Amino acid sequence: MLSRFLPVLLALMALLGVPALFLFKSVLNYFLPSGMRRRRMTVWTGAALLTVLTETLAVVFWRVLLIWFGYLLASAGLCEVAFRLGRRIVRALRNRGGQTGKGTRFASSVWRSRVLPFLIATAAVICGVVNLQNVRTTEYTVTSAKISAPMNIFVMSDFHYDTIQNVEETKRYLSYVSSEQPDLVLLAGDMTDEGTSRERMEELFLEIGKIPAKYGIFAVDGNHDHKNYASADEKTYGIREYREAMEKNGIVFLEDEVRELENFRIVGRKDASARTRLPGNGILDPSLKNDGKFTILLDHQPNSASGSDWEDADLVLCGHTHGGQVFPVGLILELAGYNAGRYDEKDRTVIVTSGVAGWGFLLKTQGRAEGVLIRLTPES
């Protein structure tokens, strides 16, 4: 396995290593005593050692340091452009007889030291770690003439339990959701991950099943819930055991199925990774499509839907994107269609949650770690 990826890893290290080498050289040239700076080989050797050490740590602790490394080089390039433009402006002012003060000299000193990219990258990573480990609630209000009484709906997705987020933080947030006593709880997929053990999976659904919800708790699967990318020793349970664990705790698992509840219904789609899943507009019986009942559709991956998949729904709820998780991925997802947030379309409202946790990386520098509270109200 390692031999297959070794050339790619070496190429990536070389790609990141060259600009890092020159960045470390600039830092050493600024902070080392003048006597050592004259020994060019000493400076280059020090810069090379720092580069190799940083890259080694980034490979070993890739979930945080690789992101830090990328932000370091990106911010270094942006700072270089900004300071060079600023220096040109200062020179132009001097040529015209303008004055430059202590602030200009301080900025010049910061630029020569090259420490600002390190501070920016470190701050971004720290903020990302704090964001991931502090789950918040995002609220939306949706109105509809099809609803006769107000209803509070909690939507949660992408726990990826317990692979990157602190387990106690997850339990704390679930306890908070319980205290709110929502009318309905909806789970939009990727509740578990390839690395989730069967015991942890069952533990999660035991905790979620404790939430008191008037109309119950409903769920769909996500691509990671099937352990599609797991190694042989990680496949400790299958989708059958996954469904049984949900149902044991009173959670209704929907696989291209419909549940009718008073004056609304829930349609749950299989994940896009399932070859057997039906089109979204093929799940609801044709005789029910124009009965005036408010229809909520759960679809884990928002950008996998075709134009007609959601045509039967008044409210579509998704996860999967993580809000981008690592900036600037979310900007790219936004160009592709849906990233995270609320999207008001002609005949329906689409809400994509960035998820309670995320995947792979132990931080979230884009997109909130969130649950979503939807206040569904009648039109006045």
Side-chain angles (χ1 to χ4, degrees), residues 54-332:
T54 304
E55 290 197 318
T56 302
L57 289 172
V59 170
V60 176
F61 303 103
W62 67 273
R63 289 187 171 188
V64 171
L65 280 178
L66 195 61
I67 300 301
W68 177 85
F69 209 109
Y71 282 171
L72 172 64
L73 297 183
S75 57
L78 292 173
C79 287
E80 194 74 15
V81 171
F83 282 124
R84 285 185 180 274
L85 287 174
R87 188 171 63 175
R88 288 194 174 191
I89 293 171
V90 169
R91 284 177 178 175
L93 288 174
R94 284 177 178 171
N95 291 337
R96 295 179 183 178
Q99 296 294 319
T100 58
K102 292 182 179 179
T104 302
R105 290 194 293 274
F106 174 75
S108 178
S109 178
V110 169
W111 175 61
R112 291 197 308 274
S113 72
R114 304 301 198 275
V115 296
L116 192 56
F118 290 90
L119 297 177
I120 292 173
T122 302
V125 166
I126 291 173
C127 288
V129 171
V130 171
N131 179 31
L132 177 69
Q133 299 299 338
N134 289 273
V135 187
R136 293 160 289 180
T137 301
T138 304
E139 293 192 21
Y140 300 100
T141 299
V142 176
T143 60
S144 174
K146 297 180 180 180
I147 294 296
S148 58
M151 181 169 60
N152 291 334
I153 306 171
F154 254 102
V155 185
M156 296 179 286
S157 79
D158 297 278
F159 281 65
H160 292 267
Y161 195 77
D162 58 326
T163 55
I164 67 170
Q165 191 187 73
N166 183 283
V167 168
E168 293 308 313
E169 173 60 17
T170 302
K171 292 181 178 180
R172 180 204 66 78
Y173 189 71
L174 291 175
S175 177
Y176 158 74
V177 174
S178 292
S179 69
E180 291 293 300
Q181 296 187 323
D183 297 303
L184 178 66
V185 174
L186 300 174
L187 309 177
D190 276 0
M191 307 304 290
T192 58
D193 202 278
E194 278 68 31
T196 307
S197 67
R198 181 166 182 168
E199 292 73 22
R200 285 298 199 185
M201 178 268 290
E202 293 173 344
E203 174 186 77
L204 174 64
F205 296 139
L206 175 64
E207 293 296 322
I208 293 175
K210 295 176 182 178
I211 300 173
K214 178 180 178 181
Y215 297 112
I217 306 171
F218 298 83
V220 294
D221 60 331
N223 51 308
H224 287 276
D225 294 320
H226 292 263
K227 290 185 174 283
N228 290 334
Y229 322 108
S231 59
D233 59 335
E234 289 177 321
K235 293 184 177 181
T236 54
Y237 60 88
I239 199 64
R240 182 174 62 84
E241 291 81 8
Y242 182 87
R243 179 167 189 153
E244 287 174 354
M246 280 194 172
E247 292 175 344
K248 179 181 177 181
N249 292 287
I251 303 168
V252 180
F253 186 49
L254 301 176
E255 296 181 281
D256 288 344
E257 297 173 79
V258 182
R259 286 294 183 275
E260 302 285 344
L261 296 161
E262 292 190 11
N263 65 335
F264 71 96
R265 66 169 59 92
I266 302 168
V267 179
R269 297 190 75 190
K270 289 182 179 179
D271 181 66
S273 60
R275 296 179 181 178
T276 58
R277 84 163 179 168
L278 299 173
N281 61 355
I283 302 172
L284 189 61
D285 189 283
S287 64
L288 302 175
K289 293 193 176 191
N290 297 306
D291 62 358
K293 205 168 187 179
F294 190 83
T295 301
I296 301 171
L297 188 145
L298 280 174
D299 191 354
H300 176 63
Q301 300 189 41
N303 293 313
S304 67
S306 66
S308 60
D309 275 333
W310 297 342
E311 66 183 11
D312 297 334
D314 300 291
L315 175 62
V316 178
L317 303 172
C318 308
H320 185 67
T321 67
H322 304 166
Q325 187 167 343
V326 177
F327 181 85
V329 175
L331 301 180
I332 300 170

Side-chain angles (χ1 to χ4, degrees), residues 140 142 297 299 302-303 310 313-319 337-353 374:
Y140 300 100
V142 176
L297 188 145
D299 191 354
N303 293 313
W310 297 342
D314 300 291
L315 175 62
V316 178
L317 303 172
C318 308
Y338 301 93
N339 178 32
R342 174 176 181 157
Y343 302 84
D344 289 307
E345 301 181 347
K346 182 180 178 181
D347 299 315
R348 69 194 55 82
T349 297
V350 179
I351 293 176
V352 182
T353 172
I374 300 172

